Amino acid sequence: MRFTLSLIIFLLIYSNTEAQNTETKWYSESNTNGIILQNSFPKGGLYEGSKKRYFNYSCLVFFSRVINQTKKPFELTVDFPADKIGIPNSPNTFVKLFLSSDKMTLEKQSLFNYGLTDFDSLDDSTIIQKTLEPNEEHLFYVVAVFYQTRNDSQNENRGGNRTELVLEGENLFYRMLPQIESMHCGKINFKD
């Protein structure tokens, strides 16, 4: 009886401790001269898109984290082109990238779609412009919406299950293989 009671108490304490664990496992992480870029794994599924012109919608939600560990503030700018991107070997399948205006926090990482619920604003053009002081960070959502131009192309390969924000010099690039090998999407400008 005492063993069973001890086991139950241990399991309750262990499960409560594990539920509070907010350590993130990143798909990719880089440190370039004190600028840390971390990129999440995907979450997502079906998406209710307009059935007037396109079919078989789905989406993946990612988030990126930019940390300033330098001694100077810098302005972070991220902006995706409004164009759709064709998927290789699937002529009727496309992806479009969006930045959500919702605020991402590390506390949301265990939630479905990382807690993102407002998909109505995905048709709006969004840009991120934020000054990061030393030892400051910024997290933001990236949503990849996949769709097809023909209703009968439902089983075509859509790909793109990993993404990453990459810094080269002062320029930011976004990768989503095989669709996007490297797409310019912003800058980091140090302030004097």
Side-chain angles (χ1 to χ4, degrees), residues 24-61:
T24 301
K25 293 185 175 152
W26 300 101
Y27 165 64
S28 71
E29 183 172 7
S30 65
N31 185 338
T32 306
N33 300 321
I35 300 171
I36 299 173
L37 301 177
Q38 298 171 322
N39 299 284
S40 74
F41 286 93
K43 290 190 177 187
L46 296 176
Y47 173 69
E48 293 295 321
S50 168
K51 305 292 186 221
K52 293 179 184 172
R53 295 185 347 186
Y54 304 118
F55 308 92
N56 306 320
Y57 282 90
S58 64
C59 76
L60 291 175
V61 178

Side-chain angles (χ1 to χ4, degrees), residues 101-118:
S101 58
D102 284 7
K103 182 175 173 57
M104 174 60 192
T105 64
L106 289 177
E107 290 76 26
K108 295 179 182 180
Q109 64 188 326
S110 65
L111 302 174
F112 181 71
N113 286 336
Y114 296 112
L116 182 64
T117 57
D118 181 16

Side-chain angles (χ1 to χ4, degrees), residues 134-163:
N135 301 313
E136 191 175 14
E137 66 180 37
H138 183 68
L139 290 88
F140 60 92
Y141 291 104
V142 177
V143 181
V145 174
F146 298 86
Y147 62 91
Q148 291 157 327
T149 56
R150 289 184 29 195
N151 195 21
D152 60 350
S153 60
Q154 183 170 358
N155 295 319
E156 289 190 14
N157 179 24
R158 113 184 149 181
N161 292 321
R162 300 290 185 268
T163 65

